[in-house]
Amino acid sequence: MTSTDDFAVPESEDQDIAAEPHDPIPYVDGNAAAGALSEVFRIDIIAALGRCRHCGSVRAFGETMVFTDAPGIVVRCRDCQGVLLRLVQTPTKYWLDLSGLSYLEIDREE
Amino acid sequence: MGIISSGFRGRRSENAALPPGQHETQDFPVLTAGPAPLIPADEWEFFITAEDGQRLSWSWDEFMALPQEEITQDIHCVTSWSKLGTTWRGVSVDTLFENVETTRDFATAHSFGGYTTNVPLWDLLGGKAWVAWEFDHEPLERAHGGPARLLVPHLYFWKSAKWVHGLELTDEDIPGFWESNGYHLHGNPWREERYS
């Protein structure tokens, strides 16, 4: 309870919102984060493999769940919904938290 | 051919109820950092923890048996929309703190699903904050934080944690989910405390 950086969702949840049947909280795939992240990465983040710190799942970044209807961009693991990455854009700065990724594996250009 | 005025939307509102940089919306946009957790009433609880292992908790039935208040307040989202005159029903945080003895000055609100946000205790007490379970005379929709959310309407709405689970009292102001990644520790809309 004292930890403030463990954002893993322990149970998979039914995505339906009670008041709006079959209308889930909207999310999109990792490609939706590409535009904003291209400002801070010089790599092809979409093709990179990332390991989730919460559950150990290794997937391409493009397979993640991206929540954009929020005060920032929140990228979650498709397997456990734990937070992999957060990006907040203020008028003067980017704030990038990668602590949910234990590594990124990135192809080098040939 | 029409001429598009780019200056119109950016003009400072003349509505005195709107903090700087805010515009009024009639909708109730859903902003969320992740999936909506599903919390059955029989698994729901609200807790307060303080020093020396002190932990109070209320089941849903115990919570609903507490004195309930009708609340009418304006709410202000940091993404710049405000919704005026919203009506809620819930339990005052003052009521929940009646049997809490603490010297701590800060709280971290914890939500089901892992979200956290930090709020100084003096912003939660004195009739300024509630745990709300009804919006506009209807049970709070899950998309908006149901079964219950924290309601701290005088601060930006990211402080009003959806799916709230409890309050952990702390000695220091510990940044929560958004506060640890660029957003302001406090979040007063009238001072435009948006970013850190």
Side-chain angles (χ1 to χ4, degrees), chain A:
Chain A
M1 194 173 301
T2 53
S3 169
T4 57
D5 64 352
D6 182 5
F7 303 127
V9 179
E11 298 170 14
S12 80
E13 67 306 300
D14 118 51
Q15 294 271 324
D16 285 352
I17 301 304
E20 300 278 351
H22 313 298
D23 186 9
I25 294 280
Y27 69 87
V28 287
D29 70 23
N31 292 283
L37 288 172
S38 68
E39 297 279 320
V40 288
F41 283 114
R42 291 177 184 274
I43 57 169
D44 179 7
I45 183 78
I46 299 303
L49 295 177
R51 181 181 184 277
C52 171
R53 184 175 66 82
H54 310 287
C55 75
S57 163
V58 177
R59 281 177 179 267
F61 192 86
E63 295 182 80
T64 57
M65 301 166 70
V66 179
F67 293 82
T68 56
D69 293 334
I73 291 171
V74 180
V75 179
R76 289 179 180 266
C77 172
R78 185 165 291 275
D79 294 307
C80 76
Q81 279 93 54
V83 175
L84 301 174
L85 178 156
R86 298 179 293 166
L87 178 67
V88 168
Q89 302 172 69
T90 80
T92 56
K93 292 179 194 296
Y94 291 107
W95 285 76
L96 178 64
D97 169 23
L98 290 165
S99 62
L101 284 164
S102 51
Y103 65 72
L104 277 172
E105 182 184 328
I106 304 147
D107 284 340
R108 295 180 66 175
E109 288 183 21
E110 295 187 11

Side-chain angles (χ1 to χ4, degrees), chain B residues 1 38 55 58 88 116 122 130 155 163 170:
Chain B
M1 298 291 284
L38 180 61
R55 187 181 197 276
W58 294 263
W88 306 79
T116 58
W122 57 82
W130 296 266
L155 300 179
W163 312 296
T170 58

Side-chain angles (χ1 to χ4, degrees), chain B residues 17-94:
Chain B
L18 289 176
Q22 298 292 109
H23 68 269
E24 185 178 4
T25 181
Q26 303 297 326
D27 302 329
F28 194 171
V30 173
L31 272 76
T32 183
L38 180 61
I39 310 120
D42 60 357
E43 294 176 21
W44 186 91
E45 68 157 0
F46 185 84
F47 71 80
I48 297 174
T49 60
E51 52 266 61
D52 303 325
Q54 184 184 181
R55 187 181 197 276
L56 282 74
S57 69
W58 294 263
S59 68
W60 183 256
D61 289 342
E62 290 166 342
F63 172 77
M64 295 300 277
L66 295 171
Q68 306 287 329
E69 296 184 9
E70 297 280 350
I71 307 131
T72 301
Q73 292 281 341
D74 304 337
I75 56 176
H76 311 288
C77 178
V78 72
T79 59
S80 84
W81 57 262
S82 291
K83 191 169 174 60
L84 305 180
T86 58
T87 55
W88 306 79
R89 188 171 173 82
V91 175
S92 169
V93 174
D94 295 306

